[in-house]
Amino acid sequence: EAGVAQSPRYKIIEKRQSVAFWCNPISGHATLYWYQQILGQGPKLLIQFQNNGVVDDSQLPKDRFSAERLKGVDSTLKIQPAKLEDSAVYLCASSPTLSSYEQYFGPGTRLTVT
Amino acid sequence: AQTVTQSQPEMSVQEAETVTLSCTYDTSESDYYLFWYKQPPSRQMILVIRQEAYKQQNATENRFSVNFQKAAKSFSLKISDSQLGDAAMYFCAYRWYGGATNKLIFGTGTLLAVQP
């Protein structure tokens, strides 16, 4: 079974530029999560999808971050414009259903904003 | 609000020895899950072990076991017979069982080094 795929693995941009991250969850997984992991901290949930609908985006900075999962499969997270404090690893995870206890994580995208 | 605290930023253990990682949490809920996740360097996070709060028996998975103290809101991970491959960042995480979302709340992590 293929795992959660993410791209790119690394990205370096200047502040005020835009960036997008892509995630392809495990086949058949209805629930998809985006986490932000700042160095020295644990992952923090940014947004959660159930199929193509948003379940929780309470911690997503909506003035600069956006995410979509149009066909209920893969997802894109965008930052526009980026700030220095957005430097972090962005993790995508998926689970079969909303009630599943286990989340399967991708390798993450390491973003550096200079 | 629920919080998870890991007070040991770094730990070290000799190969074949036993190490215990600490975690405390705060919640007003009675039904929840607790997890330990392992994040090896430059590799994806994987689930090590989980504990349902309603279960009194401590969970075990091969060399990994937990000490769950619900009243004290403590959830420690014991790794027996440590191996070089156990070196990683370990995160303690909480999830409310009855929540509308499946959101995990993570601690800040403990970096475990295994000395040969």
Side-chain angles (χ1 to χ4, degrees):
Chain A
E1 178 181 72
V4 177
Q6 290 188 247
S7 67
R9 292 295 309 277
Y10 305 91
K11 189 74 176 179
I12 301 174
I13 62 172
E14 295 181 351
K15 59 184 179 183
R16 292 187 290 274
Q17 285 187 326
S18 302
V19 65
F21 312 127
W22 175 82
C23 172
N24 191 29
I26 293 173
S27 178
H29 281 197
T31 312
L32 184 147
Y33 317 80
W34 282 103
Y35 289 88
Q36 179 191 56
Q37 185 178 11
I38 294 173
L39 185 65
Q41 300 180 19
K44 180 185 78 173
L45 180 72
L46 291 176
I47 188 167
Q48 176 182 349
F49 293 94
Q50 176 68 8
N51 297 310
N52 61 352
V54 175
V55 177
D56 184 350
D57 64 355
S58 57
Q59 298 192 89
L60 186 74
K62 298 181 185 64
D63 58 334
R64 298 183 301 106
F65 286 65
S66 64
E68 59 184 14
R69 193 185 184 201
L70 292 176
K71 297 182 179 180
V73 181
D74 55 351
S75 175
T76 302
L77 177 69
K78 297 179 181 177
I79 308 175
Q80 180 180 8
K83 293 185 175 181
L84 295 177
E85 58 261 36
D86 298 332
S87 294
V89 175
Y90 290 85
L91 298 169
C92 180
S94 70
S95 60
T97 68
L98 196 60
S99 59
S100 302
Y101 67 83
E102 183 164 1
Q103 297 182 19
Y104 298 82
F105 286 82
T109 296
R110 182 176 298 278
L111 173 67
T112 302
V113 182
T114 62
Chain B
Q2 297 94 352
T3 58
V4 177
T5 301
Q6 294 179 251
S7 58
Q8 305 157 315
E10 297 181 15
M11 293 283 284
S12 182
V13 63
Q14 293 291 127
E15 199 174 2
E17 297 292 306
T18 296
V19 65
T20 299
L21 308 183
S22 301
C23 172
T24 58
Y25 60 94
D26 188 25
T27 182
S28 58
E29 306 296 339
S30 58
D31 294 323
Y32 49 87
Y33 292 107
L34 295 165
F35 306 88
W36 280 98
Y37 276 86
K38 172 185 178 182
Q39 188 176 42
S42 301
R43 295 178 61 186
Q44 49 251 65
M45 196 174 309
I46 58 172
L47 179 65
V48 174
I49 197 167
R50 83 175 190 278
Q51 174 80 41
E52 290 90 340
Y54 67 86
K55 290 186 177 179
Q56 293 187 337
Q57 186 172 7
N58 289 323
T60 62
E61 287 287 344
N62 301 314
R63 298 183 295 107
F64 298 86
S65 61
V66 299
N67 183 3
F68 173 49
Q69 302 289 328
K70 190 172 184 179
K73 296 181 181 175
S74 171
F75 182 62
S76 61
L77 174 69
K78 185 172 80 172
I79 306 174
S80 304
D81 185 25
S82 296
Q83 301 175 0
L84 294 178
D86 295 333
M89 182 71 85
Y90 286 82
F91 290 98
C92 179
Y94 164 99
R95 176 204 154 195
W96 178 32
Y97 182 77
T101 79
N102 202 2
K103 180 169 67 177
L104 289 170
I105 298 172
F106 287 89
T108 51
T110 296
L111 182 61
L112 178 66
V114 181
Q115 308 299 329

